[in-house]
Amino acid sequence: MDHPSPHVLLFPLPIQSPINSMLHLAELFCLAGLQVTFLNTNHNQKLLLRHTNVESRFRQYPRFRFRTISDGLPEENPRSSVQFGELISSLQAVAEPFLREILLSSSSDGVTEPPVTCVIPDGLFYYAVDIGNEIGVPVIPFDTISPCCLWVYLCIPKLIQAEEIPFKGNDLDALFENVAGMQGLLRRRDFPFYRLIDYATDPYCQIALKEVESIPRSNGLILNTFEDLDGPLLSLIRSHCQQTYAIGPLHLHLKTKLAEKRMPISASSNSLWEEDHSSIQWLDAQPIESVIYVSFGSMATLSKEEILEFWHGLVNSGIRFLWVMRSNLLRGEESNHQFVKELSEGCKERAYIVSWAPQEKVLAHSAIGGFLTHSGWNSTMESIVQGKPMICWAVYVDQRVTSRFVGEVWKIGVDMKDICDRYIIEKMVKDLMVTNRDEFKKSAEKLSNLAKESVGDGGSSYNALQCLVDDVKKLGRKGKDIKSNCIG
């Protein structure tokens, strides 16, 4: 064989949102006829198999396979946000030699298959770019954080040079001057590492800097967004990486492609948690746009005091609510079963509490009128697609930048970061669901329509995905830099 056929290795960050996005991308690649290997951790693969039909769903693609590796942590490790740094460094120690071995080998597990011709790691796995360059295998990172946060990352070296970080003083409302495109917008409290004291010793800032350094050395960059949402930022990002493919919203793109090929659109999600579908039955009994959906994602933890402030604010607003309370949402406690039971009893006339919900289905439900969210990027994109305005209570990293954009740039909600007060929560819920409902709804529906247009035939994301697939095929044939005419 003169040229190896395209074989893509996908390697997601081992948490819910990136796994979900990468599985959507994997299926899009399968639909385009590419051979795909999905590298998951043993821990997360077990959860996926337990709670989803992912195995039978991907069985329809004969050129797809799962592979697993250890994340290097003992089984009993909780793998929560508190231990996130430990998880990333532990996985890196296992993944670096594994990637090197798999890229050097043309077969694995005794099964002969085409060699990997392109690696698509999460953007945080900067070391994959170095390994790929060393061996001669192209790498196109998929950065699953929000593009607005990625652009802030790319500006960190300039911020250090201008001595804007580390911060001087304690004014979190002071504005950054050296983030192009965000002058007069980005405050210190919106910075991903808003408590930054010393960038040289902060492990998360150091990872971000290594990621920034690796991007220009890669063969491209994939982002889960669309031109009408992030066009100005995408132009800036392309000054660092010309081959930037904006192919989102990925979950909508996949559904559109499946419908186009007249294939069944699966009812299953890619959830690492068991979904409680009684939430949909409860929503079926509620009036149109009368419910606010409340979820803080898969990793954030709250204190008992914070949960109670949200509970009182929601109850006092008089608005119906559906709240996802994970079993490990309560910070520092093994279980919050009795606590949740008491909260449920106290609001059962007008609210419903579940441990996990099928979020895409929930946001698509006609009874949902708004979303109180942690501003994770997947959650934000899902909300935009469904035209649901947001109240943003960002916790860390890209959530902090995203929530600022939701409130001040896209104007599809309000930014409530760093506030946990029942009276303000009550007021913001009323503002979103009653007082300013029509204004927010109009803005959100406009973006929703643009998102749908982007993945339709001839749309910006539709075209970008086609370019990405074509370029991956070229990489498979040539194994060297591509000069695509369709990006930029």
Side-chain angles (χ1 to χ4, degrees), residues 110-178:
V111 180
T112 303
E113 61 179 22
V116 171
T117 58
C118 180
V119 182
I120 296 183
D122 190 279
L124 206 61
F125 298 149
Y126 59 87
Y127 50 87
V129 176
D130 294 330
I131 293 168
N133 285 342
E134 174 193 323
I135 294 170
V137 177
V139 180
I140 305 176
F142 176 14
D143 218 312
T144 50
I145 62 171
S146 61
C148 52
C149 180
L150 176 62
W151 176 240
V152 173
Y153 277 11
L154 287 163
C155 291
I156 289 177
K158 193 172 183 181
L159 294 175
I160 292 169
Q161 189 180 4
E163 298 185 351
E164 284 202 73
I165 58 174
F167 302 154
K168 296 174 180 68
N170 299 312
D171 181 8
L172 287 178
D173 290 314
L175 291 162
F176 282 97
E177 295 175 9
N178 287 281

Side-chain angles (χ1 to χ4, degrees), residues 91-102:
L91 178 60
Q92 181 174 348
V94 177
E96 281 197 78
F98 181 90
L99 284 173
R100 194 169 271 109
E101 182 185 345
I102 200 173

Side-chain angles (χ1 to χ4, degrees), residues 304 307 325-331 333-343:
K304 187 172 279 191
I307 291 173
M325 280 199 196
R326 299 186 331 266
S327 57
N328 61 351
L329 180 67
L330 185 57
R331 189 178 303 136
E333 296 194 25
E334 284 293 310
S335 173
N336 58 351
H337 179 72
Q338 186 57 35
F339 180 50
V340 172
K341 190 177 177 183
E342 289 167 9
L343 293 180

Side-chain angles (χ1 to χ4, degrees), residues 345-388:
E345 281 297 314
C347 63
K348 62 184 179 184
E349 298 83 7
R350 213 173 44 244
Y352 197 61
I353 296 176
V354 293
S355 59
W356 197 246
Q359 183 162 290
E360 270 190 61
K361 276 189 178 181
V362 167
L363 288 170
H365 201 286
S366 60
I368 296 293
F371 187 8
L372 173 44
T373 173
H374 66 305
S375 294
W377 189 234
N378 257 17
S379 291
T380 302
M381 290 300 279
E382 287 167 7
S383 204
I384 285 172
V385 165
Q386 295 302 335
K388 304 293 163 103

Side-chain angles (χ1 to χ4, degrees), residues 61-81:
Y61 304 113
R63 304 189 73 205
F64 174 89
R65 69 179 296 213
F66 280 111
R67 288 202 68 174
T68 60
I69 56 171
S70 167
D71 61 17
L73 296 175
E75 194 56 42
E76 64 273 13
N77 187 292
R79 296 167 174 82
S80 70
S81 57

Side-chain angles (χ1 to χ4, degrees), residues 409-449:
V409 178
W410 305 319
K411 300 191 184 300
I412 52 173
V414 290
D415 183 2
M416 197 176 69
K417 71 166 65 78
D418 303 329
I419 296 168
C420 194
D421 174 277
R422 65 186 68 182
Y423 302 108
I424 293 173
I425 292 163
E426 176 188 347
K427 180 184 182 302
M428 287 198 168
V429 170
K430 285 177 178 174
D431 278 354
L432 194 82
M433 299 292 287
V434 182
T435 314
N436 296 310
R437 170 179 164 171
D438 292 343
E439 185 184 331
F440 283 126
K441 187 180 171 186
K442 187 178 175 184
S443 298
E445 285 180 346
K446 183 182 176 185
L447 269 187
S448 172
N449 290 331

